[in-house]
Amino acid sequence: MNIFAKFKETVSSVLPIMVMVLLLGLTIAPMSFGTMSRFVLGGILVIFGLTIFLLGVDIGILPIGERSGAALTAKRNLPLLLGAAFLIGFIVTVAEPDVQVLADQVRGIAPNVSKWGLIFMIAVGVGFFVALGILRTVLSIPLNILLTISYIFVFVLAFLAPPTFQGVAFDSGGATTGPMTVPFIMALGVGVAAVRAKSDKNGKLKSSSEDSFGLTGIASIGPVLAVIVYGIILSGGNSSSADSVTESSHGLIASGIAVFLKLLPSIFKEVAGALAPLAGMALLFQFLLLKMPPMQVVRMVRGFVMSFIGLILFLTGAQGGFMPAGEELGKVLGAASQTGSLWTLLLVFVGLVFGAIVVCAEPAVWVLTDQVESISGGTIKRKVMLGALSSGVAISIGISMLRVLHGFSLWYILIPGYALALILSFICPKLFTGIAFDSGGVASGPMTSTFILSFTLGASEASDGNPAVDAFGVIALVAMTPLIAIQILGIIFKIKSNRAENSHSELVMESTEAAE
């Protein structure tokens, strides 16, 4: 894909949020001129940064995932495959921009939490469950059985974690499946499924298309479990972070470009530390496993350089402009909601609108709807899919605003939501279940991790709530929506397919009887 197509995708993702914020900031929720100007500049950096980053991932990083998955599976060495799967899951998660943004958000309200300690725990969780997902593919373990057992274990353990870590843990599951992790893990899964084959009764080889989906859904369980364990460990002792709390990007520092320039050195260091292990892994695989020709190696290097530059621009724009504006807008509307029910309704309505805009603007959602329409043979239309996802995500963020204002437990939504999703997994066609759990992170893209979470944090703080408990969880709710929506559509597809088959059978029988 060329850079202009990527640029168009990124603009369509970021621009609707920018327009909405500017309209609110200039009318009913006035924000300071400095915040507004930094938001515009930050939005420009986010657009260009995300464009360059995604293009670099496409040309330099994704091919490594596909080739590695195929090459490792072809070795027929299960311990090697699982070890490499853990390493890949760990390293790409460390490099994931959404995870770094989430870690910054957590550290902003909980200074005792180590940013890199949290990132490494999330990465360990992803690595372990990626390996588990590969093992499921190799052993042909039913996806719904593995998901059900894993989520029951997660929810039981979550009740032992401190309340401040419960929302963060489930948010990490959605944030982890971002623009770096999802494509790489899916590419790895496709590579493994392409090489692995099954023998039918006639001894012929056939591949299982169902095995191509579900790996990302399994991987997203890992960070939830890891952060829960991390929270239990921290609550067990007087742990203090070795990280120094950096000055907030929206604090008392010079306005305008100076804010972004001040952020650059620390972000440069963080991005270098995040991508260096991934580059080292790519070199290791090249020498020991892939042995790509020089032209492909040059292409890989170019992709890494583009990803490095793009990630720096993206994080600088997000931390310097996007996140502060989201937080200030949330504070303005959150404070106003305390003055009357009309403003309360307005805050919820703004959350609903943001939800609808975010999910429709995510490029990955359009890819997903195309995929489902193709698999269903046109039975499930893209417009229906977009409508279901848009409505679900809008409701999720609207509920999050009500949580901020009234402080009711996250479990009231997550437990019935995941229970329904798991029950549907036993009714829905297996292929749609895999796609549904893979797509849980599709809706919770960069805009959710940067702007929506900041907006929720600001609203919670201004309404005298507890941001650590009431605000975190919004990404988890957004990520939960596709699990239900896509499986319901899968059941509809199954019903329509059965009706079509029955009609066809009746026509054949009538034709046979007429011929006789």
Side-chain angles (χ1 to χ4, degrees):
M1 185 177 288
N2 60 51
I3 192 168
F4 296 106
K6 280 293 182 189
F7 181 75
K8 183 178 178 181
E9 283 187 0
T10 308
V11 169
S12 67
S13 176
V14 179
L15 195 58
I17 293 289
M18 294 183 66
V19 171
M20 182 72 179
V21 172
L22 291 175
L23 286 176
L24 290 172
L26 294 173
T27 54
I28 59 176
M31 296 186 291
S32 66
F33 176 77
T35 301
M36 295 280 281
S37 61
R38 290 196 299 272
F39 173 71
V40 173
L41 182 55
I44 294 171
L45 289 175
V46 165
I47 289 173
F48 282 98
L50 200 54
T51 299
I52 297 170
F53 172 76
L54 292 175
L55 189 64
V57 168
D58 276 358
I59 68 173
I61 297 177
L62 286 190
I64 300 172
E66 293 180 359
R67 291 171 183 269
S68 299
L72 287 166
T73 308
K75 292 285 186 182
R76 306 293 180 184
N77 186 330
L78 185 58
L80 174 64
L81 176 61
L82 297 182
F86 174 85
L87 181 65
I88 290 171
F90 180 90
I91 290 177
V92 296
T93 303
V94 172
E96 175 60 60
D98 287 358
V99 173
Q100 298 209 25
V101 170
L102 177 68
D104 281 326
Q105 300 276 32
V106 174
R107 190 178 60 174
I109 64 168
N112 68 309
V113 176
S114 166
K115 174 181 177 178
W116 283 104
L118 182 63
I119 289 175
F120 285 147
M121 284 296 292
I122 291 173
V124 168
V126 173
F128 178 79
F129 272 81
V130 167
L132 184 62
I134 295 294
L135 183 64
R136 179 202 76 85
T137 301
V138 173
L139 300 181
S140 298
I141 299 172
L143 177 62
N144 53 2
I145 299 297
L146 180 59
L147 289 172
T148 301
I149 293 173
S150 298
Y151 273 111
I152 289 175
F153 183 68
V154 163
F155 275 99
V156 169
L157 196 61
F159 282 99
L160 303 177
T164 53
F165 273 87
Q166 291 170 349
V168 173
F170 282 91
D171 275 356
S172 69
T176 301
T177 47
M180 170 75 82
T181 311
V182 168
F184 203 99
I185 291 178
M186 289 190 73
L188 177 66
V190 168
V192 172
V195 174
R196 178 183 173 274
K198 295 179 180 179
S199 297
D200 62 15
K201 293 180 181 179
N202 298 322
K204 296 179 181 179
L205 293 177
K206 60 178 182 178
S207 62
S208 174
S209 61
E210 294 171 3
D211 289 337
S212 299
F213 301 100
L215 183 57
T216 305
I218 294 171
S220 65
I221 302 173
V224 181
L225 188 59
V227 175
I228 288 170
V229 173
Y230 184 56
I232 293 173
I233 293 172
L234 282 185
S235 65
N238 297 320
S239 175
S240 61
S241 170
D243 285 346
S244 60
V245 180
T246 58
E247 184 179 10
S248 173
S249 61
H250 49 89
L252 301 176
I253 54 178
S255 61
I257 298 177
V259 174
F260 299 96
L261 293 177
K262 187 177 182 67
L263 289 169
L264 271 177
S266 60
I267 290 177
F268 184 92
K269 183 179 178 181
E270 288 178 0
V271 172
L275 288 182
L278 186 59
M281 182 189 70
L283 288 175
L284 182 65
F285 281 5
Q286 164 63 15
F287 286 117
L288 300 180
L289 189 67
L290 303 177
K291 303 187 186 302
M292 295 183 293
M295 287 297 294
Q296 291 181 346
V297 174
V298 171
R299 182 180 175 86
M300 180 187 73
V301 172
R302 186 165 70 247
F304 268 93
V305 172
M306 294 179 68
S307 298
F308 179 76
I309 295 172
L311 191 51
I312 289 175
L313 294 176
F314 170 78
L315 290 176
T316 302
Q319 294 183 26
F322 244 61
M323 290 159 59
E327 187 170 345
E328 184 168 331
L329 180 63
K331 286 180 178 178
V332 172
L333 292 176
S337 68
Q338 303 301 299
T339 63
S341 58
L342 184 62
W343 285 99
T344 299
L345 292 175
L346 179 62
L347 177 62
V348 175
F349 175 75
V350 170
L352 291 170
V353 174
F354 275 142
I357 289 176
V358 164
V359 72
C360 288
E362 289 290 350
V365 169
W366 291 86
V367 175
L368 174 70
T369 53
D370 269 340
Q371 188 180 43
V372 173
E373 189 173 30
S374 174
I375 290 171
S376 67
T379 306
I380 299 175
K381 301 296 183 183
R382 165 187 270 192
K383 291 181 180 179
V384 175
M385 183 80 176
L386 281 174
L389 288 176
S390 180
S391 301
V393 172
I395 292 171
S396 295
I397 297 181
I399 291 174
S400 296
M401 295 302 104
L402 291 175
R403 277 190 66 230
V404 163
L405 296 175
H406 300 290
F408 57 83
S409 174
L410 181 64
W411 303 125
Y412 294 165
I413 311 145
L414 282 185
I415 291 178
Y418 273 97
L420 176 59
L422 292 172
I423 291 170
L424 290 174
S425 71
F426 289 89
I427 307 171
C428 174
K430 293 180 181 179
L431 184 59
F432 279 87
T433 297
I435 294 173
F437 279 86
D438 273 356
S439 65
V442 167
S444 55
M447 293 302 97
T448 306
S449 300
T450 56
F451 183 82
I452 298 298
L453 180 55
S454 297
F455 175 75
T456 311
L457 286 167
S460 177
E461 183 179 342
S463 57
D464 297 326
N466 182 353
V469 176
D470 300 332
F472 284 100
V474 61
I475 300 177
L477 296 182
V478 171
M480 185 182 70
T481 301
L483 311 185
I484 299 171
I486 294 176
Q487 290 191 102
I488 290 175
L489 293 178
I491 293 172
I492 294 172
F493 166 69
K494 180 180 179 180
I495 294 171
K496 288 187 175 182
S497 297
N498 290 339
R499 287 178 179 174
E501 288 177 5
N502 292 335
S503 299
H504 178 71
S505 299
E506 290 175 2
L507 288 173
V508 171
M509 291 178 64
E510 290 175 0
S511 300
T512 303
E513 291 174 357
E516 292 176 352

